[in-house]
Amino acid sequence: MADLKSTPNPLFLRDDELRQGIELLFFGYRDFTARADQTLAAYNFGRAHHRVIYFVGRNPGMTVSDLLDILKITKQSLSRVLSQLVREGFIVQRPGTTDRRQRLLSLTDKGAELERRLTEDQRALVARAYKAAGAEAVEGFKKVLLGLINEEDRGRFRMQNPAGPGAGAAGPTGQGQGQGSGNTGSR
């Protein structure tokens, strides 16, 4: 493993620097998911369950189609995970209000509690890292992550608006925390 340098390297596109970035992503993701994996194991759930619970929690009333679009997995894979979450009382499915063929997904109280527990640890980890890095580094980090995301999904996010109070980075749906339009489209 390459040593981390405390000052920016003007040769950041060299192979060693790029490989270090790859390693940092691997180790960061490992530690980001470690505690959640322990919690999920108690339910016999895996990371796919976590992703479904997280995005349904962030987008109550979302359609199965929208969830498939976010997760980029097959219907069969989602069906297996979603069926278990519904059967065990973490998610509820309701027919659409205008199109009864749609299945609208929401967390139950049990699901919301699990989502809170899973997110709480990850939120604390990200907050600690953000605080240690500082605002400028956080904005740079967000730009790098946006650069890793495919162009289609980048539109789900908007960068922090330094204009004033209440301005903040949007979530994966393009909406800020706590905001909702009631729309069940690709929120």
Side-chain angles (χ1 to χ4, degrees):
M1 269 183 268
D3 291 329
L4 272 179
K5 297 169 182 67
S6 60
T7 57
N9 184 345
L11 304 174
F12 58 87
L13 290 178
R14 290 181 43 183
D15 189 58
D16 285 350
E17 293 292 321
L18 295 172
R19 286 186 175 273
Q20 183 183 68
I22 292 167
E23 287 180 25
L24 286 168
L25 283 170
F26 280 129
F27 282 95
Y29 185 69
R30 178 200 67 192
D31 293 348
F32 178 74
T33 57
R35 202 117 175 236
D37 286 346
Q38 291 173 350
T39 300
L40 291 162
Y43 296 90
N44 291 318
F45 290 166
R47 291 182 185 167
H49 296 84
H50 185 184
R51 287 187 286 271
V52 169
I53 288 169
Y54 180 81
F55 284 109
V56 171
R58 287 282 287 160
N59 305 282
M62 76 183 313
T63 65
V64 170
S65 177
D66 289 338
L67 186 57
L68 282 166
D69 189 48
I70 289 172
L71 298 177
K72 303 284 190 228
I73 61 175
T74 66
K75 286 181 186 180
Q76 184 180 3
S77 294
L78 178 59
S79 178
R80 193 171 34 250
V81 170
L82 191 55
S83 294
Q84 183 182 10
L85 290 169
V86 169
R87 189 174 55 251
E88 295 186 23
F90 291 90
I91 289 181
V92 64
Q93 295 183 79
R94 293 187 177 91
T97 53
T98 56
D99 183 350
R100 307 287 292 167
R101 294 171 298 177
Q102 284 185 322
R103 291 184 294 156
L104 306 180
L105 306 173
S106 296
L107 295 179
T108 62
D109 290 342
K110 181 179 175 181
E113 174 57 23
L114 179 56
E115 191 280 330
R116 185 198 58 74
R117 285 180 52 212
L118 293 166
T119 301
E120 188 175 83
D121 289 334
Q122 292 182 329
R123 188 180 179 284
L125 184 62
V126 171
R128 187 181 76 225
Y130 276 11
K131 185 176 180 182
E136 190 174 319
V138 169
E139 289 306 308
F141 175 70
K142 288 178 184 178
K143 287 178 184 176
V144 169
L145 288 178
L146 280 169
L148 294 175
I149 296 170
N150 70 52
E151 193 170 333
E152 176 186 335
D153 286 332
R154 275 185 219 141
R156 296 179 184 274
F157 298 87
R158 58 184 157 80
M159 292 300 288
Q160 186 169 352
N161 177 1
T173 60
Q175 295 183 22
Q177 276 280 47
Q179 297 174 348
S181 66
N183 176 348
T184 59
S186 58
R187 294 179 20 192

